[in-house]
Amino acid sequence: GRGVLPRAMAALGAYRCIECNGEATELYRDYRRGVLRISICKSCQKPVDKYIEYDPVIILINAVLCKAQAYRHILFNTKINIHGKLCVFCLLCEAYLRWLQLQDSSQNTDPDDLIRYAKEWDFYRMFGIASLEQTSFFIGIFITLWWMTPEMLKTKSDFILLLKALLLSTYGKLLLIPAVIWEHDYTPLCLAFIKVFVLISNSQAIRVTLNLNRILPWFAIFFGLIFENGVVYLFQIMGWDV
């Protein structure tokens, strides 16, 4: 079935062709009376964005499959402003998982209020640690990309777009909750797969946003992981319980 077309966006700025990443002035042309014609890219002679007629569920499935076309549609040809809320929710999921593992390792069953408050503080602490790690990971990626491809990150808007792409591509962390709820013997393996999936999504987001090859995004992610673990180790040396 036909999805919701971004009618209000047709007159705004440039878009991107989801096939070749070329710029386009419009996604479709409205001939009135419900007659719409999808614009054709001048570079590759393919529809600029076929996803404007797709159901959101189909778009989501293609995004889960890490298709570059779906990422370009979401990042360049739609107005999605949920990246901040999505980031907070993903961090809450990760904090809950860590907090739950911490409670499982604790044998104290004292119902005293002080114990309950301490457990609640542990959850906030886990949220802070998860936020610190993700921030360090992103900083490591930005530093690496700015050093390797400074021409790609010239303006503030370039950094904001890349940050938005990275935040949206962490949606895989939402799978942490069902992985914990449906606990079984393979839960550690599931969590490892979720981590790998998030990193693959991050790589595809970097590649699509900056129009890079496949190697450089993974190079940036590798240094992001090093920077993340380095910052955590530094705080541990300073005596912080992270």
Side-chain angles (χ1 to χ4, degrees):
R2 176 171 295 180
V4 180
L5 294 174
R7 296 179 180 274
M9 297 176 59
L12 299 177
Y15 301 98
R16 295 286 183 88
C17 172
I18 64 171
E19 301 293 341
C20 68
N21 203 40
E23 291 189 356
T25 57
E26 60 182 5
L27 298 179
Y28 66 93
R29 183 160 295 180
D30 189 349
Y31 291 98
R32 298 181 181 180
R33 297 183 181 180
V35 179
L36 302 173
R37 181 177 181 272
I38 297 179
S39 301
I40 302 299
C41 177
K42 296 180 180 179
S43 300
C44 64
Q45 301 303 312
K46 294 181 179 180
V48 171
D49 191 345
K50 62 183 179 182
Y51 285 116
I52 62 176
E53 288 193 313
Y54 282 29
D55 189 271
V57 175
I58 303 298
I59 299 173
L60 178 60
I61 292 174
N62 281 263
V64 170
L65 294 174
C66 291
K67 289 190 174 182
Q69 294 90 338
Y71 273 72
R72 291 191 184 105
H73 167 78
I74 295 171
L75 293 174
F76 299 121
N77 299 338
T78 61
K79 281 191 172 182
I80 296 181
N81 294 314
I82 65 170
H83 46 282
K85 296 178 181 178
L86 180 63
C87 174
V88 172
F89 192 71
C90 288
L91 289 173
L92 287 172
C93 292
E94 190 168 353
Y96 174 76
L97 174 63
R98 297 185 180 197
W99 177 80
L100 197 62
Q101 292 174 336
L102 184 65
Q103 301 310 307
D104 290 341
S105 63
S106 175
Q107 302 299 322
N108 194 331
T109 58
D110 193 335
D112 188 79
D113 287 343
L114 183 61
I115 301 299
R116 290 202 298 270
Y117 290 146
K119 290 182 178 181
E120 182 179 349
W121 168 249
D122 283 337
F123 175 78
Y124 296 138
R125 184 166 61 87
M126 292 299 108
F127 181 82
I129 293 172
S131 302
L132 171 65
E133 291 183 356
Q134 180 161 297
T135 301
S136 303
F137 176 63
F138 286 170
I139 290 176
I141 289 177
F142 276 106
I143 291 175
T144 304
L145 292 174
W146 181 77
W147 176 57
M148 297 290 293
T149 58
E151 70 280 1
M152 295 291 183
L153 296 172
K154 293 181 178 179
T155 64
K156 180 181 178 181
S157 60
D158 294 332
F159 282 94
I160 292 176
L161 179 61
L162 180 56
L163 177 60
K164 177 181 177 180
L166 287 171
L167 291 175
L168 289 175
S169 64
T170 59
Y171 67 91
K173 290 184 179 181
L174 298 178
L175 297 173
L176 292 172
I177 295 300
V180 172
I181 293 176
W182 298 322
E183 185 176 359
H184 47 70
D185 295 338
Y186 300 103
T187 296
L189 182 61
C190 292
L191 298 180
F193 276 125
I194 292 172
K195 178 67 174 179
V196 172
F197 175 73
V198 171
L199 294 179
I200 292 174
S201 299
N202 292 153
S203 172
Q204 190 71 310
I206 297 171
R207 176 174 170 246
V208 167
T209 304
L210 302 181
N211 198 27
L212 301 173
N213 56 36
R214 296 179 184 274
I215 298 177
L216 189 55
W218 279 110
F219 193 70
I221 286 175
F222 175 72
F223 275 93
L225 290 172
I226 291 178
F227 193 80
E228 172 188 335
N229 288 280
V231 170
V232 172
Y233 179 69
L234 177 62
F235 280 112
Q236 288 176 339
I237 292 178
M238 294 171 59
W240 290 30
D241 187 15
V242 297

